[in-house]
Amino acid sequence: MPLHEIQVTKTARYYTIGEWSEKTRKVIFVLHGYGQLGEFFIQKFKELASENTLIAAPEALSRFYLNGFSGRVGATWMTKEARDTEILDYLNYLNKLLDTLLMDLNPFDVEIELLGFSQGCATAARWFEVHSEAFQRLILWSGYFSEGISEVVSPSHFVDKPLVYVYGNKDEILVQTQFDEFLKSLKQAVPTINIIEFEGGHQINTMVLKQIF
């Protein structure tokens, strides 16, 4: 049977920590992983916020119950179903969010950095791909791409912009992948990449955050 699609308006939400004023000089976008919510994910970055730095956490457009039909709720950036459409939808959403936040600021006076965690790595990398001129740096944390980084973003962007990859040496998710081969492919694709390993699992490590920022 034929497939039909229509475009509809959907309300997206995002969370911020930090001052938003003429003193703002840095905006850090942080993209959560599978099954997380922006409201709680952004708390992991609160120590980075200041009168000069704003943290912004967009939330994925699709939400679901984590267990059964009630209780805790999580969000996901995409699934395998209608994959290309979901990617286009969240890119349109993120682009509009970027324009909205920077509307009252001179973009040349503000440094914008982008961090993706777990599933949010692919989302962040795709956003960087289509809007690389807006971001000063891309940080990928505990993400994995089965076909290598070129699956989501062109390595040529990192000739003049930094790429950072962070992972825990006891990551219970990455251990299920071909992770050693993936790290080798990252180094081959982006020789200037900064790879940071920390003691821990599939999580945001506050000490490493302070080291990066």
Side-chain angles (χ1 to χ4, degrees), residues 37-50:
L37 293 177
E39 177 183 6
F40 304 109
F41 184 66
I42 197 173
Q43 297 299 325
K44 303 177 186 299
F45 303 88
K46 60 185 179 182
E47 293 185 22
L48 301 180
S50 69

Side-chain angles (χ1 to χ4, degrees), residues 4-208:
H4 305 279
E5 294 181 334
I6 60 171
Q7 287 190 327
V8 300
T9 300
K10 183 176 177 65
T11 300
R13 63 187 190 181
Y14 65 96
Y15 298 85
T16 60
I17 296 178
E19 299 295 329
W20 183 248
S21 69
E22 67 278 359
K23 295 182 179 180
T24 302
R25 290 295 174 265
K26 177 180 286 190
V27 178
I28 305 173
F29 286 96
V30 295
L31 276 57
H32 65 77
Y34 176 81
Q36 297 180 311
L37 293 177
E39 177 183 6
F40 304 109
F41 184 66
I42 197 173
Q43 297 299 325
K44 303 177 186 299
F45 303 88
K46 60 185 179 182
E47 293 185 22
L48 301 180
S50 69
E51 66 174 0
N52 303 117
T53 300
L54 177 77
I55 313 298
E59 187 171 278
L61 297 173
S62 298
R63 288 182 286 274
F64 59 97
Y65 289 115
L66 294 176
N67 296 293
F69 302 101
S70 64
R72 291 180 56 204
V73 173
T76 180
W77 291 102
M78 58 170 288
T79 66
K80 66 178 182 180
E81 185 71 17
R83 178 177 183 273
D84 292 339
T85 302
E86 287 201 325
I87 291 173
L88 182 60
D89 284 345
Y90 72 56
L91 287 176
N92 287 335
Y93 152 45
L94 293 172
N95 288 336
K96 184 173 182 179
L97 174 59
L98 180 64
D99 291 341
T100 299
L101 285 179
L102 298 183
M103 188 178 300
D104 297 325
L105 294 175
N106 182 344
F108 296 105
D109 292 337
V110 178
E111 179 180 306
I112 309 173
E113 302 203 55
L114 177 57
L115 181 149
F117 172 71
S118 194
Q119 188 197 45
C121 283
T123 304
R126 291 190 179 101
W127 193 15
F128 194 93
E129 172 70 18
V130 301
H131 234 321
S132 61
E133 76 286 351
F135 301 108
Q136 273 66 55
R137 182 169 57 157
L138 175 62
I139 299 130
L140 302 178
W141 195 304
S142 299
Y144 177 79
F145 313 115
S146 58
E147 302 300 323
I149 194 170
S150 300
E151 175 186 351
V152 288
V153 60
S154 172
S156 63
H157 290 302
F158 307 108
V159 172
D160 57 358
K161 292 195 175 184
L163 173 63
V164 179
Y165 184 83
V166 186
Y167 72 98
N169 57 13
K170 297 178 182 177
D171 192 307
E172 63 276 17
I173 303 298
L174 294 179
V175 74
Q176 302 176 45
T177 68
Q178 302 295 319
F179 188 64
D180 289 341
E181 288 74 8
F182 173 65
L183 277 185
K184 291 178 182 177
S185 72
L186 278 180
K187 295 174 184 177
Q188 291 174 351
V190 185
T192 58
I193 190 172
N194 180 16
I195 297 179
I196 300 173
E197 176 187 335
F198 67 91
E199 185 76 19
H202 199 72
Q203 64 196 65
I204 297 293
N205 181 289
T206 304
M207 295 300 295
V208 176

